[in-house]
Amino acid sequence: MRKLLPLLCGATLLALAGCEPVDSDRPETAQPFPTPDRPVSELGGNQFSTETARDSVGEARKVMDLAEISPGMSVADIGAGEGYYTVRLAGRVGEDGRVLAQDIDREALDRLALRVERQRLDNVSIKLGAGDDPKLPPASFDRVFMVHMYHEVREPYAFLWRLWPALREGGRVIVVDVNRPADQHGIEPLLLACEFKAVGFELDTFHDAPELAGYYAQFKRAAKRPEPEEIKPCRGSAGQGNGNAVR
């Protein structure tokens, strides 16, 4: 009997997973979603010592102009770090707008909170997210920013699926990244578009932009999002997409 026990699905393992093997390296909340078939970059630094250099080429202004950020908008800054975009978005949306700064790095958010308090940015709030869930309230945002961070998302299908309801009617997701492999702090545009399309988004704007040290991609929601078990994962690199990639 003891020899048979390891072959049986115990009651504690049976829930949700049945007798299928469970990937213990993935969070339980990501298990219903496909495993991404690509590498993931390690988390980058959050220091804002390069803000002057970034402003010297007009990075934030360029992105906000492309995203048509205007007073009164509600914007989420995902992967906010220590707030390069957060503080500039706060100025652009004005006192009638709102900015939610989100990150999974609690220490970076603590430093950002001090910055927000010091600069008296009353239209900014701060939220701790999770690697597979941005934890955004539904129907709340006109724009969601993900700048030079998407390549660090380890569970893109779960993450984007849970982001989908957070957009308001006419809302957009903004991605700024670099055209290089995902384990080298970038992601190829076709692979990016494929992963977004797989969970119910459509690419509606794309620009190569040297001043952004990469490209600008903008997505809108499709008519519906698939159920987790219906998601067809993208394969390998952008050049080996499964048909979901935009060409």
Side-chain angles (χ1 to χ4, degrees), residues 52-74:
T52 300
R54 296 170 80 175
D55 279 346
S56 70
V57 295
E59 178 188 328
R61 178 182 52 78
K62 174 72 171 181
V63 173
M64 290 189 293
D65 287 349
L66 288 171
E68 300 181 331
I69 302 300
S70 59
M73 277 188 167
S74 179

Side-chain angles (χ1 to χ4, degrees), residues 96-224:
D96 293 328
R98 298 294 300 172
V99 178
L100 175 63
Q102 185 262 39
D103 207 294
I104 62 173
D105 185 336
R106 188 183 297 274
E107 293 183 356
L109 287 181
D110 288 343
R111 292 189 291 271
L112 176 54
L114 292 175
R115 185 179 190 184
V116 167
E117 181 179 5
R118 184 172 64 251
Q119 296 185 221
R120 298 182 179 180
L121 301 176
D122 295 331
N123 60 350
V124 173
S125 56
I126 294 173
K127 187 177 184 65
L128 183 69
D132 65 338
D133 187 351
K135 296 186 180 295
L136 302 180
S140 297
F141 297 99
D142 301 297
R143 300 289 186 269
V144 174
F145 273 47
M146 293 194 288
V147 179
H148 294 301
M149 60 76 61
Y150 182 77
H151 53 262
E152 298 174 356
V153 177
R154 295 187 175 277
E155 296 290 345
Y157 303 112
F159 188 91
L160 293 176
W161 192 86
R162 291 174 174 135
L163 184 152
W164 195 92
L167 290 178
R168 291 175 173 170
E169 185 70 25
R172 297 292 189 269
V173 179
I174 310 304
V175 177
V176 176
D177 223 309
V178 182
N179 184 5
R180 59 188 177 212
D183 58 350
Q184 298 177 30
H185 293 280
I187 186 165
E188 297 99 327
L190 284 181
L191 180 56
L192 174 76
C194 180
E195 291 184 350
F196 268 77
K197 186 175 182 180
V199 297
F201 289 94
E202 297 176 355
L203 179 67
D204 71 351
T205 303
F206 183 88
H207 296 282
D208 281 315
E211 64 270 39
L212 306 183
Y215 60 80
Y216 172 99
Q218 180 175 290
F219 297 87
K220 63 181 181 180
R221 291 195 307 193
K224 65 175 185 177

Side-chain angles (χ1 to χ4, degrees), residues 219-238:
F219 297 87
K220 63 181 181 180
R221 291 195 307 193
K224 65 175 185 177
R225 70 175 174 172
E227 293 301 316
E229 64 273 12
E230 297 172 340
I231 295 172
K232 297 179 180 179
C234 306
R235 296 186 57 196
S237 68

